[in-house]
């Protein structure tokens, strides 16, 4: 964690932990010729925040053996990629509070972030070799981007602050906190690196 109460009690609602939903988000990366890295993001086609780009993930379900098992299940459901849990390395935690909207109450998310380094058709040290390419699913359309060239305007505003940490091969661990306002604007944030 972040070495102090997370999320920050002065900025987040006191009921955060009672009402939070635990989510996962997986960033699949592939090293190209150094220093290039590409990242697989999903264009969300339906549901909450449709039209935006995200890593692959969702809510941890009661039937999931662990948080990482939930992450692997969601990755498979949303991209068709079947990765073993050992290929998913936890790299961060993100706490997000969305404001109430109309009749919808505030939303509290605790997101466990994983990085999966893969190779497509050419073996690479420490990378999981994919036997299949990602596929478009009902919920997500998978698109490869140069990690240095992510189209931030297609992501939620807070993404710019932590996606670069999530997609950096061998990057440090991190804990990020975001209090969001109208139109997902970042009202308060704290992003810190944690020694792995």
């Amino acid at each position: 964690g972040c070495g102090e109460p997370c999320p920050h009690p002065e900025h987040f609602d006191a009921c955060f932990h009672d009402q939070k939903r635990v989510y996962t988000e997986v960033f699949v990366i592939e090293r190209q010729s150094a220093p290039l890295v590409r990242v697989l993001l999903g264009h969300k086609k339906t549901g909450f925040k449709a039209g935006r780009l995200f890593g692959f993930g969702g809510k941890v379900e009661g039937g999931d053996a662990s948080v990482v098992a939930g992450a692997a299940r969601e990755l498979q459901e949303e991209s068709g990629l079947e990765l073993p849990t050992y290929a998913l390395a936890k790299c961060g935690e993100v706490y997000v509070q969305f404001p109430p909207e109309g009749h919808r109450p505030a939303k509290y998310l605790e997101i466990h972030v994983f990085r999966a380094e893969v190779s497509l058709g050419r073996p690479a040290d420490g990378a999981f070799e994919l036997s299949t390419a990602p596929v478009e699913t009902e919920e997500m359309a998978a698109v490869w981007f140069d990690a240095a060239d992510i189209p931030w305007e297609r992501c939620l505003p807070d993404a710019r602050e932590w996606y670069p940490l999530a997609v950096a091969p061998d990057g440090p661990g991190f804990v990020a906190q975001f209090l969001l306002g109208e139109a997902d604007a970042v009202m308060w944030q704290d992003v810190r690196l944690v020694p792995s």
Side-chain angles (χ1 to χ4, degrees), residues 20-102:
K20 74 184 178 190
R21 293 179 180 179
V22 177
Y23 275 74
T24 60
E25 197 160 353
V26 179
F27 293 87
V28 175
I29 63 168
E30 184 187 28
R31 289 183 212 236
Q32 308 282 276
S33 50
L36 296 178
V37 175
R38 62 179 196 157
V39 58
L40 187 68
L41 296 177
H43 173 83
K44 198 152 191 294
K45 293 157 62 178
T46 59
F48 188 61
K49 306 297 174 192
R52 299 285 198 167
L53 288 171
F54 293 94
F56 296 88
K59 201 170 163 191
V60 177
E61 306 285 357
D64 292 325
S66 59
V67 172
V68 68
R73 176 186 53 75
E74 286 282 354
L75 176 65
Q76 196 275 325
E77 287 174 6
E78 292 183 347
S79 73
L81 295 179
E82 289 193 50
L83 267 65
T85 54
Y86 67 76
L88 305 184
K90 181 153 180 198
C91 57
E93 288 175 13
V94 181
Y95 298 86
V96 186
Q97 179 173 311
F98 289 93
E101 254 177 46

Side-chain angles (χ1 to χ4, degrees), residues 173-187:
F174 64 92
V175 174
Q177 306 176 60
F178 298 100
L179 190 61
L180 302 184
E182 277 186 40
D184 305 316
V186 177
M187 309 304 287

Side-chain angles (χ1 to χ4, degrees), residues 8 13 16 18-19 30 35 39 48 60 104-105 107 112 123 127 135 152 156 161 177 194:
H8 200 294
D13 293 347
F16 186 97
D18 290 336
Q19 298 190 15
E30 184 187 28
V39 58
F48 188 61
V60 177
R104 205 200 70 212
K107 219 175 180 120
H112 295 252
V135 296
W152 297 116
L156 291 180
E161 307 300 326
Q177 306 176 60
V194 292

Side-chain angles (χ1 to χ4, degrees), residues 100-123:
E101 254 177 46
H103 297 297
R104 205 200 70 212
K107 219 175 180 120
Y108 308 101
L109 305 187
E110 175 182 293
I111 304 166
H112 295 252
V113 184
F114 296 88
R115 182 190 302 127
E117 188 171 334
V118 302
S119 65
L120 269 165
R122 44 183 197 88

